[in-house]
Amino acid sequence: MDSNFKAGFVSFVGKPNVGKSTLLNTILQEKVAIVSHKPQTTREQMQGIYTDDNMQIVFLDTPGIHKHHNQLGKLMNRQATSATKGADVICLLAPCNEPISVNEQHIIRILKERDTPIFLLLTKVDLVTKVELFNKINEWKDLLEFKEIIPISATKEVNLNILLKKIYDYLPVGGKFFEIEQKSNSTSQQITKEVIREKIIFLTRQEVPYSVAVVVESMETSKNLLEISAVIVVERDSQKAILIGKKGEMIKNIGIQARQELEKIFNIKIMLTLFVKVIDEWSNNPKSLKELGYF
Ligand SMILES: Nc1nc2c(ncn2[C@@H]2O[C@H](COP(=O)(O)OP(=O)(O)OP(=O)(O)O)[C@@H](O)[C@H]2O)c(=O)[nH]1
Ligand SMILES: [Mg+2]
């Protein structure tokens, strides 16, 4: 093994919608996490693995920390907070184009208790002027003892190499945890569930995405066909009606878009069957949360 090779864990934390999952996908040059313009897209901690000749970084993408109003939100926050423990570097992501929020003040209080090196990544730098960026850095710089403050843009790929170089400096020397070609720790069931959920987030409005859980019931390959059966769980009959849509148009579209993306990911022809089921208040019921795979 090269004696300078380094490997370690880097957590992305921040309020919802700041670009944590987008940054992960861009660094890995592969979509390992779903992304949307709506907050609270990521629900569970997930790992994305970056490997080059000098290092392996296991990134932990986390749900955005927010003021929760149900049991699911509480679990999401717990997932995000636990990702700050055991990391070699914590990256706090905050958007350049928004004022510091109550959620962020809460995150700062949590991070003050950690003795891990913390980087501040000021995201979406493509949306602000130099003066606005300068003011934003001033607003943030004394709130925590940041080892680095790096303005980035995931969509315009600004400063991502600098970020990787700075992370390298803080990683311990050691061998890799995963094979070079492995980019995530997600199972095919998890990928399927997330792709279906992503299509629902894009195709439906208002509160529906927040009341949706997806359970993959079976995945079976026969000859050259992967047959997937999944249940979309919502909380109310009215949401079920929205998901099915007029003459079943909505559920059909969700199915088509999810199938097309999954065929690309798994590189096989897919038959996807979707069912919709109502479980009252599942997002606020610990027993239902467990049954739906949220621990
Ligand atoms: N302009 C601009 N938009 C970005 C950038 N990075 C992310 N976005 C957009 O910001 C939105 C949120 O991105 P996500 O990656 O889902 O954010 P997140 O922090 O993972 O959000 P949660 O999972 O809800 O906590 C999406 O619409 C992205 O396209 C960026 O560098 N520039
Ligand atoms: Mg996310």
Side-chain angles (χ1 to χ4, degrees):
M1 192 189 77
D2 179 351
S3 60
N4 292 322
F5 195 89
K6 292 182 164 187
F9 292 81
V10 174
S11 297
F12 287 161
V13 294
K15 67 176 184 177
N17 220 29
V18 297
K20 300 178 290 298
S21 303
T22 308
L23 177 61
L24 180 66
N25 290 342
T26 309
I27 290 175
L28 299 185
Q29 301 279 307
E30 191 168 301
K31 186 174 150 191
V32 297
I34 63 167
V35 160
S36 90
H37 59 289
K38 294 177 189 162
Q40 297 173 40
T41 298
T42 304
R43 282 205 183 143
E44 294 166 84
Q45 216 182 76
M46 67 154 304
Q47 292 183 350
I49 302 138
Y50 170 88
T51 313
D52 65 20
D53 292 343
N54 305 313
M55 66 178 156
Q56 180 169 77
I57 310 170
V58 182
F59 287 104
L60 284 183
D61 183 20
T62 66
I65 296 178
H66 60 288
K67 193 167 183 295
H68 64 82
H69 49 80
N70 60 20
Q71 291 293 323
L72 175 65
K74 191 171 168 186
L75 285 175
M76 284 160 65
N77 283 347
R78 201 183 295 156
Q79 286 259 314
T81 312
S82 76
T84 62
K85 294 175 187 155
D88 296 296
V89 176
I90 297 169
C91 292
L92 168 59
L93 280 76
C96 286
N97 60 335
E98 287 174 31
I100 297 172
S101 70
V102 176
N103 283 337
E104 286 168 329
Q105 282 158 358
H106 173 63
I107 299 170
I108 289 167
R109 282 195 292 275
I110 296 171
L111 294 183
K112 273 195 175 143
E113 291 167 17
R114 305 280 181 268
D115 46 21
T116 313
I118 299 171
F119 290 8
L120 175 65
L121 307 186
L122 290 171
T123 64
K124 308 190 187 184
V125 71
D126 53 293
L127 297 180
V128 297
T129 62
K130 285 207 168 91
V131 175
E132 285 167 327
L133 172 62
F134 179 79
N135 291 338
K136 191 54 63 187
I137 292 173
N138 274 332
E139 222 181 298
W140 273 97
K141 68 179 178 21
D142 299 322
L143 297 181
L144 263 174
E145 220 181 281
F146 296 113
K147 294 286 184 202
E148 305 285 346
I149 297 181
I150 310 172
I152 60 155
S153 166
T155 49
K156 299 273 192 283
E157 306 203 10
V158 176
N159 285 344
L160 304 190
N161 284 333
I162 291 178
L163 169 63
L164 291 173
K165 275 201 192 101
K166 295 287 183 193
I167 290 174
Y168 178 84
D169 292 342
Y170 289 87
L171 293 183
V173 171
K176 52 188 189 308
F177 300 98
F178 294 94
E179 294 305 320
I180 294 169
E181 53 294 339
Q182 188 167 350
K183 290 201 168 178
S184 103
N185 69 339
S186 302
T187 62
S188 8
Q189 296 233 347
Q190 283 166 326
I191 294 168
T192 303
K193 172 177 110 173
E194 288 293 85
V195 167
I196 297 170
R197 205 163 60 79
E198 182 186 61
K199 302 310 166 201
I200 297 169
I201 295 173
F202 273 94
L203 291 170
T204 62
R205 263 176 237 148
Q206 289 143 354
E207 91 285 16
V208 175
Y210 302 100
S211 291
V212 160
V214 176
V215 180
V216 177
E217 299 227 297
S218 65
M219 292 182 80
E220 277 165 31
T221 317
S222 59
K223 290 189 188 146
N224 292 327
L225 184 72
L226 172 59
E227 291 184 42
I228 303 176
S229 166
V231 180
I232 301 169
V233 179
V234 286
E235 301 193 283
R236 283 188 284 284
D237 286 333
S238 57
Q239 294 166 339
K240 180 175 173 176
I242 294 172
L243 269 183
I244 292 174
K246 276 195 196 120
K247 296 189 184 155
E249 274 298 307
M250 177 61 89
I251 192 80
K252 193 173 148 199
N253 275 337
I254 294 167
I256 291 170
Q257 293 198 13
R259 177 177 55 75
Q260 285 171 343
E261 182 159 346
L262 290 167
E263 283 181 341
K264 273 193 219 137
I265 296 173
F266 296 131
N267 202 15
I268 185 170
K269 207 168 161 27
I270 290 177
M271 195 173 96
L272 175 62
T273 314
L274 297 174
F275 303 92
V276 185
K277 181 175 157 184
V278 178
I279 301 180
D280 275 346
E281 298 282 330
W282 68 261
S283 68
N284 209 19
N285 179 334
K287 190 165 162 266
S288 307
L289 280 164
K290 216 170 193 168
E291 280 165 10
L292 295 173
Y294 293 109
F295 335 97

